[in-house]
Amino acid sequence: MTVPRSYRNIVLCGFMGTGKSSVGRLVAEQLRFAFLDTDHVIEARADKPITEIFAEQGEAAFREMECKVVKELAERKATVISTGGGLVVNPENMASLKQHALVVCLWASPAGIYARVKNQNHRPLLQGPDALEKITALLAERTPFYKQADVLLNTEIRSPREVAQQVLHQFRIARTAPVPHPTH
Ligand code: S3P
């Protein structure tokens, strides 16, 4: 049996540094949707930055916080949701997001990602001298999960504004011709 997908929201997923937050804000502005970033929700609740959550409670605790936020997102409508880079690696999270949103994955090569993140220090998984190697390995590991998104968009050859236009275009297509999906 199949039921029509509900596209009430847009989810942006993808690796760190692919521009999910900047693109998400632009898309939300255009659609007059709310904008929500799962990392910001977690930081606000924990009242500390992600680096501290990782250092004090560990990555597993952070992933649990992500799962909790994902469950709550099912209530949202008219929202553009930017997700942390590892969130959709949990298939349950991806499945849950697809219940209410068009899931768009923003893509870039390891070199492109490295160029964007190398001067930033708020991502615990990319700290240390071998960031490019970490990015290459983690991206390879996560690729099968990112490919589960409804739409995959290469961000390397486009400005955030152009990527946002592509997201809007895909959202309009999805809303006019919803694709049924299997219920099991
Ligand atoms: C992570 C990505 C980060 C943040 C955390 C872990 C990841 O979010 O959730 O540092 O596992 O890829 P951004 O993708 O917004 O940087």
Side-chain angles (χ1 to χ4, degrees):
M1 200 181 120
T2 57
V3 291
R5 288 275 298 270
S6 165
Y7 298 115
R8 304 196 299 277
N9 305 304
I10 298 176
V11 163
L12 297 181
C13 69
F15 206 82
M16 297 170 263
T18 50
K20 292 162 291 184
S21 299
S22 341
V23 170
R25 282 180 205 284
L26 291 169
V27 173
E29 205 178 285
Q30 290 278 320
L31 290 171
R32 295 194 169 82
F33 274 23
F35 173 75
L36 189 148
D37 182 317
T38 59
D39 285 342
H40 294 167
V41 174
I42 290 170
E43 289 184 318
R45 280 187 190 167
D47 197 22
K48 52 186 152 188
I50 285 169
T51 39
E52 272 178 47
I53 300 176
F54 268 65
E56 291 168 13
Q57 293 164 262
E59 183 175 348
F62 174 76
R63 298 299 171 201
E64 274 174 34
M65 294 174 197
E66 282 190 321
C67 287
K68 190 160 180 281
V69 174
V70 167
K71 288 197 182 94
E72 293 164 11
L73 291 173
E75 305 297 319
R76 302 284 318 192
K77 50 183 188 223
T79 305
V80 177
I81 301 154
S82 168
T83 58
L87 186 141
V88 297
V89 170
N90 179 336
E92 278 180 28
N93 287 345
M94 179 66 100
S96 172
L97 296 169
K98 282 187 172 176
Q99 295 294 318
H100 56 86
L102 178 75
V103 180
V104 180
C105 178
L106 302 191
W107 187 262
S109 68
I113 292 167
Y114 179 67
R116 291 183 197 171
V117 304
K118 65 178 179 201
N119 295 321
Q120 301 174 344
N121 60 6
H122 63 280
R123 296 185 176 95
L125 295 179
L126 299 183
Q127 297 316 299
D130 50 355
L132 179 57
E133 280 163 44
K134 283 189 195 160
I135 293 167
T136 308
L138 203 51
L139 183 61
E141 200 180 290
R142 290 179 176 179
T143 296
F145 301 100
Y146 292 145
K147 283 192 171 166
Q148 301 298 314
D150 296 309
V151 179
L152 207 55
L153 283 181
N154 188 349
T155 64
E156 220 154 83
I157 45 159
R158 299 182 173 110
S159 69
R161 227 158 250 291
E162 286 168 334
V163 179
Q165 286 314 311
Q166 290 290 325
V167 174
L168 287 165
H169 179 64
Q170 295 294 334
F171 188 54
R172 284 182 189 124
I173 293 175
R175 293 251 260 200
T176 33
V179 180
H181 77 129
T183 49
H184 52 254

